[in-house]
Amino acid sequence: MARKCEVISETQQIRDLLTNIEYPDTGDAVLLRSDQYLAIGCNLKDLQNLDETLVREIDMMNCLVLYTAEVSVTYMDVEASDALIKWASTFDNVRFCLLEQFLPCGPEHPFARTMIRHFEKLQTPLRSIHKYPSLSDQQNRFRDAGWHSTVAQDLWTLWSRPEFLTSKQRMILDETEPFDEWEELALFAAHYFVLVATKNTPPGKYNQYMPDTDSTVKQDDTRAVPTQCLRLNDEYRQHPKARARRRFGAVVKLGKGVVGYHGGLGLQSRMATTDVYTTNDLEQGDFSTPPQSLQARMCHSITHLNDSECVLAGGRISPDHPLSDCWLRRCGAWQRIDDLPVSRYRHCGVAVKPQKQKPGGILIYGGKGCGGLVLGDWLYYDIETGRWLVVELHGICPPPRFGASMAATNSTEGVVIGGMGQDGVVLSDCWQWRIEAYKDGQDTLKLDFRSRSSEMYNRPYVGRFGAQLVWSESGLILIGGVILSQVLSQEYEILLLDPEDWTIQKIERISNSPCPLLVGCSSIVADGGNLSIIGGGAVCFSFGTHWNEGTWTLHTPDKNLNTPLQLNTEADPSPGLGQQALGTSENDPTNSMSSQLTRVSIPRIRVDSATEFESVVTKGQPVILENIDFGPCTHLWTNDYLIKHVVVHEATTEQMDFQNKNFSYVTKPFGDFLGAINEGRKLYLRSLASDKPAELPADLSRDYPELAGSFQLPPELATVAENAHSSPLRISGPVIMWLHYDVMANILCQVRGAKRLLLFPPSDVSFFHFSPGSSSSSTNVFADTSSGQYALKRAHHHEALLHPRDILYIPPLWLHSASPVDGLSIAVNIFFRNLNSGYAAGKDIYGNRDLQAYETGRRDLQKIVKAFKGLPMDISSFYLDRLANELSDMAQGVHHGVSRTK
């Protein structure tokens, strides 16, 4: 309270709101007195002093009083806080509003354990939470203390109540910032409650925003509580410490007794690797995991057509960056297929077979798309024709949703349950769908629906968001997720549904294993009909992150499960580079690098200010900047939009070599240029200045004014704009940009397509045969050739895979080479000066002229060698070798920050 008074005293805007401010003498409980505000600082355990001070200062009996306690009295001794609550009820016309934590599922719930442990670590334990763990306990606490009326609700229940928040107010969350941490919001909000207690006030009069609605299961409804329970043994296998931590990935079958968990969110960022799980001691092998060249993602789907074929679809990078790419695994190889018509994540996917004699395909429903739009369309991918078909919907259809659960009950029928609508409320409905007749040559697939929501009435634990729904021999198994209100209790976390009569059984785990947090996890019914749960976890507000540290395999007691699913520590989570992917051939030089090479993935980060980016530049390490908006060019720059005559490089091989000039400069219409790339021609554009190209550096705004308006550097990159040297446009086909370094720092902004770059620190320059005075090398770092393999093994490989809206920061002198991943790649490259001095004087069109000191030094070396001319060779060699060693020693001294001159 003393600190609050200091803030008031030091803040003119607050002081202007108060009149007749007084600061009583030290020792008085009143620290500040004014006509509008009274600050009292005292020990709340000393109720006599508090009571005397209030009665002296305020006419309590004739005032309307509101007490508020926002996560405060829970830190007091329980006896003292109870006494305070009881004392507060001794006055008339008073209200008490309490915001505090509670334990809706007990102290062993993973979120609760994380929360309790956090406050104990801070030495501020939550004291009342153990004596009053439930809402009813808290309400009885106040009633027993003399309060006439009490109502309490957890914040997650209030979130969905129209009396508390309207749909429009909830949707503002997505408008303010794209949001996709719904499970974590639900867990947090369900462990906090608001309680309103009143004295001498009719119930409900002052509680219009706090409806006294019991959202728990009503015990008198026989449909509400499952009467049957299926008991399953639970075999738990813990991972090695800190291994396989990821959530919101997708399960992929890899073989008999082998499954993978691909992608998802790891300890620091999204992942592109796959953890391998086995039921035996298989050593490392080729498990046909999704290739490493796929962009890291989460919230995607992998749908299995059979044991060997599956389709990976969509997912997201960030909540406002959904993906549309799709990949088919067939005969152990992954190949890209047609993209989804609309990008999406958190969608549903199931395998169906509309025609018995045909291979069938996958049915995809819903999800969240660009701009946070919740989707309600249905898509069908025909595996035989390789096309996405429009799905025609009949009758009353499910409304748009994302995060729903869907499963097929046979080859043409299935169910979809729950999800979330555009307004952020968990849906409680349930639908059956059926494929109508589908014939060859049709461009549409027809679906018919039947709502089964009446069967789900008053079963709040069935409609879920982010749950898993899998088909087993016993029926549909519904696992985890979050529900409309409160926390999904362990009793109802896993249910068995019969799609014929919609009876429900609880599944009880018979085990002493840790309780999993069934959020962000994946489930699979593997060989033998056993249910396995993999991955999962959540950020528990500011209390820390809870990870599921193992796998759970559930089976009936009559089965002897000798080898439950567990992490295969021998399998490399990074798939081999030799896997064919991205529609490339086995001769693609970007896919042939030896798997023995060790590479470091360049980290992906966010910068929220110019200061943060300046810190990145100072550190001198390459990074990929995410979630930075550099304009609408990423969707505007289509082939039709980019019609202009340009100067391009035309090569005869995949590897362009600046030293040997195995390419020519040609001028052609831009439409012809793009068409030639689509035909596989080896073309590359590095734009030049439109006026005086031999004298001026490239400038996008001057050279392509019609494009410049749709590409803008954001404020976070002010340093780049203020110190810019040049901004060439780069468009490439199936060619590899030669290995080189740039003297200036630069950023590469990927607009269209994907591009793979290999980078090496400046200290590796001696490995790659750079000619004296040259900033380019003829070494093809993407190739596995005998001539370059020794150098490649010694070098320090850093790899970046860029996708649209990614920005790669390349520090000065970092060697790099680039290759498009698939087809056309478009990027804007901006070079900027990061040194205050030292650049070579004169013309530098490309921004890669070496520093003045190096150019001067090379001239001085020529003078030194010339000075020994005429002396015997052995004498010249003796002294030149000595000078070379002295120069090497001096260089080492500069490297270590010491002087070696005498």
Side-chain angles (χ1 to χ4, degrees):
M1 186 58 72
R3 177 58 188 150
K4 288 184 178 181
C5 293
E6 289 179 11
V7 172
I8 294 172
S9 175
E10 296 169 357
T11 307
Q12 183 66 43
Q13 292 93 330
I14 299 178
R15 293 203 311 273
D16 290 345
L17 300 175
L18 306 179
T19 56
N20 299 320
I21 300 176
E22 298 178 11
Y23 297 95
D25 297 335
T26 304
D28 196 329
V30 177
L31 304 182
L32 183 150
R33 183 185 291 111
S34 71
D35 295 335
Q36 297 84 10
Y37 182 79
L38 184 70
I40 298 175
C42 65
N43 186 348
L44 292 180
K45 294 182 180 180
D46 188 355
L47 295 178
Q48 181 178 351
N49 183 27
L50 176 62
D51 185 82
E52 291 175 354
T53 303
L54 283 175
V55 171
R56 183 179 70 244
E57 299 288 336
I58 302 173
D59 184 6
M60 293 288 289
M61 293 302 175
N62 293 307
C63 287
L64 187 64
V65 179
L66 172 65
Y67 303 104
T68 62
E70 182 181 350
V71 192
S72 55
V73 296
T74 188
Y75 299 126
M76 299 174 62
D77 294 336
V78 178
E79 294 77 7
S81 60
D82 286 348
L84 177 67
I85 292 169
K86 186 173 183 178
W87 166 83
S89 70
T90 59
F91 299 96
D92 293 330
N93 297 320
V94 290
R95 323 277 182 270
F96 201 120
C97 185
L98 176 69
L99 172 65
E100 211 164 87
Q101 302 94 335
F102 76 119
L103 303 175
C105 293
E108 293 305 312
H109 187 278
F111 184 97
R113 284 205 316 269
T114 305
M115 177 177 69
I116 293 170
R117 186 169 57 244
H118 167 78
F119 285 102
E120 289 177 346
K121 184 177 181 180
L122 296 178
Q123 298 183 349
T124 55
L126 305 175
R127 301 184 187 279
S128 63
I129 201 169
H130 299 287
K131 185 176 181 180
Y132 305 109
S134 69
L135 292 185
S136 59
D137 291 332
Q138 288 285 358
Q139 288 181 284
N140 290 333
R141 177 191 193 187
F142 275 76
R143 289 168 184 153
D144 294 343
W147 294 89
H148 296 165
S149 174
T150 63
V151 59
Q153 287 283 13
D154 66 273
L155 298 187
W156 183 236
T157 298
L158 291 176
W159 166 265
S160 60
R161 298 292 302 182
E163 303 92 338
F164 194 77
L165 285 173
T166 65
S167 294
K168 184 177 180 180
Q169 288 172 323
R170 284 190 295 270
M171 287 190 286
I172 290 176
L173 176 63
D174 245 344
E175 297 173 5
T176 305
E177 179 180 354
F179 184 78
D180 192 37
E181 287 76 35
W182 291 103
E183 291 94 342
E184 294 165 349
L185 172 63
L187 287 169
F188 163 73
H191 280 82
Y192 279 73
F193 71 93
V194 172
L195 180 146
V196 176
T198 59
K199 181 78 177 299
N200 297 332
T201 303
K205 182 177 180 180
Y206 295 96
N207 297 335
Q208 63 266 38
Y209 297 110
M210 283 283 293
D212 192 8
T213 302
D214 185 7
S215 60
T216 59
V217 175
K218 291 181 171 56
Q219 301 298 324
D220 57 350
D221 192 325
T222 57
R223 295 176 302 170
V225 181
T227 57
Q228 296 181 329
C229 179
L230 178 63
R231 296 169 62 85
L232 297 180
N233 287 348
D234 179 3
E235 301 289 343
Y236 173 72
R237 290 296 182 268
Q238 186 165 344
H239 305 323
K241 187 175 182 180
R243 286 286 300 272
R245 288 180 172 178
R246 64 176 79 200
R247 57 190 192 269
F248 298 108
V251 169
V252 55
K253 296 179 181 178
L254 303 177
K256 185 174 177 58
V258 186
V259 300
Y261 191 42
H262 171 259
L265 184 64
L267 287 169
Q268 296 181 336
S269 63
R270 293 168 307 282
M271 308 178 76
T273 56
T274 304
D275 286 325
V276 176
Y277 295 81
T278 60
T279 58
N280 48 46
D281 297 327
L282 287 176
E283 296 181 356
Q284 184 173 358
D286 183 5
F287 298 118
S288 297
T289 56
Q292 183 174 323
S293 49
L294 267 69
Q295 186 165 12
R297 68 191 66 209
M298 58 189 290
C299 302
H300 54 297
S301 66
I302 296 181
T303 307
H304 294 87
L305 295 157
N306 48 56
D307 290 339
S308 61
E309 293 181 315
C310 61
V311 173
L312 184 154
R316 71 168 176 85
I317 298 175
S318 60
D320 61 342
H321 192 167
L323 299 171
S324 62
D325 56 326
C326 298
W327 304 83
L328 170 67
R329 185 187 67 188
R330 175 178 284 167
C331 300
W334 290 82
Q335 60 185 27
R336 187 162 182 174
I337 57 177
D338 286 354
D339 289 358
L340 291 164
V342 179
S343 304
R344 68 191 65 215
Y345 61 95
R346 286 192 184 263
H347 50 277
C348 303
V350 296
V352 293
K353 198 172 183 180
Q355 295 173 288
K356 292 182 179 180
Q357 305 305 320
K358 298 292 183 177
I362 65 169
L363 190 65
I364 281 181
Y365 165 53
K368 207 168 193 181
C370 295
L373 179 66
V374 176
L375 306 172
D377 57 340
W378 293 72
L379 306 171
Y380 175 66
Y381 181 78
D382 190 315
I383 195 69
E384 185 176 49
T385 64
R387 293 188 305 153
W388 286 101
L389 302 181
V390 177
V391 177
E392 185 178 310
L393 310 180
H394 285 191
I396 300 176
C397 307
R401 67 192 65 209
F402 67 107
S405 307
M406 186 164 74
T409 54
N410 58 49
S411 61
T412 58
E413 296 179 324
V415 299
V416 59
I417 298 174
M420 182 176 285
Q422 190 73 60
D423 63 351
V425 173
V426 176
L427 301 170
S428 299
D429 55 354
C430 177
W431 299 78
Q432 280 184 304
W433 50 264
R434 180 174 59 87
I435 297 175
E436 295 186 358
Y438 171 64
K439 298 179 181 179
D440 290 339
Q442 287 184 327
D443 290 328
T444 61
L445 186 76
K446 297 181 180 179
L447 281 183
D448 185 55
F449 297 93
R450 179 185 178 188
S451 173
R452 304 308 298 255
S453 299
S454 59
E455 286 87 344
M456 297 298 106
Y457 173 73
N458 204 32
R459 288 172 169 174
Y461 46 80
V462 176
R464 306 179 182 190
F465 173 80
Q468 298 282 303
L469 186 64
V470 296
W471 178 257
S472 71
E473 298 174 352
S474 304
L476 291 170
I477 302 179
L478 184 64
I479 304 126
V482 297
I483 56 177
L484 178 64
S485 61
Q486 301 187 346
V487 173
L488 185 61
S489 68
Q490 186 176 353
E491 183 180 8
Y492 300 105
E493 278 187 323
I494 306 178
L495 300 175
L496 180 65
L497 284 68
D498 186 333
E500 296 296 328
D501 59 10
W502 291 99
T503 56
I504 298 175
Q505 294 185 60
K506 295 184 291 185
I507 293 182
E508 179 183 347
R509 297 185 302 113
I510 308 172
S511 173
N512 293 322
S513 65
C515 177
L517 181 57
L518 297 180
V519 164
C521 61
S522 292
S523 305
I524 186 170
V525 175
D527 301 318
N530 303 313
L531 173 68
S532 294
I533 300 171
I534 305 171
V539 174
C540 302
F541 190 48
S542 60
F543 312 139
T545 301
H546 176 89
W547 293 97
N548 290 335
E549 301 283 5
T551 58
W552 289 261
T553 300
L554 281 61
H555 62 96
T556 55
D558 59 335
K559 289 185 178 179
N560 183 16
L561 190 63
N562 295 323
T563 53
L565 198 68
Q566 58 189 315
L567 180 68
N568 187 327
T569 56
E570 298 298 323
D572 185 353
S574 301
L577 289 176
Q579 282 192 179
Q580 186 175 339
L582 303 164
T584 58
S585 69
E586 294 179 358
N587 296 322
D588 186 338
T590 67
N591 285 337
S592 59
M593 184 178 297
S594 169
S595 61
Q596 297 176 0
L597 302 179
T598 300
R599 295 167 307 148
V600 176
S601 293
I602 292 176
R604 292 177 170 269
I605 67 170
R606 290 186 60 171
V607 294
D608 297 318
S609 67
T611 302
E612 289 185 17
F613 179 70
E614 290 170 6
S615 176
V616 169
V617 174
T618 300
K619 292 177 181 177
Q621 296 292 315
V623 296
I624 298 173
L625 308 177
E626 295 184 318
N627 297 322
I628 290 187
D629 183 10
F630 50 80
C633 54
T634 52
H635 64 267
L636 279 181
W637 290 7
T638 62
N639 290 5
D640 293 336
Y641 190 85
L642 299 171
I643 301 298
K644 184 178 177 69
H645 283 68
V646 294
V647 176
V648 303
H649 302 327
E650 184 165 19
T652 56
T653 65
E654 292 91 347
Q655 163 71 9
M656 289 200 301
D657 186 344
F658 187 79
Q659 294 296 308
N660 298 319
K661 295 293 192 298
N662 64 339
F663 55 84
S664 59
Y665 293 89
V666 297
T667 301
K668 58 177 60 185
F670 194 74
D672 294 347
F673 169 62
L674 292 179
I677 288 181
N678 291 332
E679 294 172 1
R681 292 280 298 279
K682 301 174 178 63
L683 298 175
Y684 181 84
L685 159 72
R686 196 275 192 197
S687 66
L688 304 174
S690 57
D691 184 27
K692 300 179 180 180
E695 299 180 15
L696 299 175
D699 183 340
L700 185 71
S701 61
R702 180 190 61 220
D703 304 332
Y704 299 98
E706 66 275 23
L707 301 183
S710 54
F711 177 88
Q712 306 100 18
L713 284 177
E716 295 91 337
L717 302 183
T719 297
V720 178
E722 293 166 2
N723 299 281
H725 166 270
S726 56
S727 51
L729 175 68
R730 296 186 184 272
I731 304 178
S732 58
V735 294
I736 297 174
M737 180 66 179
W738 55 81
L739 181 68
H740 68 285
Y741 65 82
D742 300 303
V743 177
M744 293 186 187
N746 65 94
I747 58 172
L748 186 63
C749 307
Q750 190 70 17
V751 178
R752 281 182 59 190
K755 180 176 291 185
R756 181 177 173 218
L757 290 97
L758 293 180
L759 293 87
F760 306 87
S763 58
D764 283 356
V765 67
S766 61
F767 299 148
F768 296 109
H769 311 295
F770 281 80
S771 300
S774 173
S775 60
S776 300
S777 167
S778 298
T779 303
N780 183 359
V781 294
F782 287 96
D784 183 6
T785 61
S786 58
S787 60
Q789 187 58 203
Y790 178 68
L792 289 175
K793 285 183 176 179
R794 297 175 64 197
H796 302 82
H797 297 249
H798 293 66
E799 183 178 28
L801 188 61
L802 300 185
H803 293 267
R805 298 176 64 185
D806 284 344
I807 299 178
L808 173 64
Y809 168 64
I810 306 176
L813 308 183
W814 272 72
L815 323 176
H816 54 281
S817 179
S819 174
V821 169
D822 188 23
L824 181 71
S825 170
I826 301 179
V828 175
N829 199 182
I830 305 179
F831 294 83
F832 64 99
R833 299 176 179 87
N834 66 307
L835 299 177
N836 294 326
S837 61
Y839 294 109
K843 185 169 60 177
D844 184 10
I845 298 174
Y846 295 101
N848 61 352
R849 183 175 171 182
D850 283 304
L851 294 180
Q852 183 68 55
Y854 177 71
E855 292 188 352
T856 302
R858 291 193 68 241
R859 289 194 296 269
D860 290 342
L861 285 176
Q862 295 295 327
K863 293 178 182 179
I864 292 172
V865 173
K866 188 176 181 179
F868 285 93
K869 188 176 181 180
L871 294 174
M873 184 178 297
D874 57 340
I875 294 176
S876 299
S877 298
F878 173 80
Y879 283 110
L880 287 173
D881 286 344
R882 288 202 65 189
L883 287 172
N885 289 333
E886 290 176 29
L887 182 60
S888 178
D889 287 344
M890 291 179 185
Q892 289 297 318
V894 171
H895 176 71
H896 294 290
V898 297
S899 175
R900 298 195 179 200
T901 58
K902 295 183 179 179

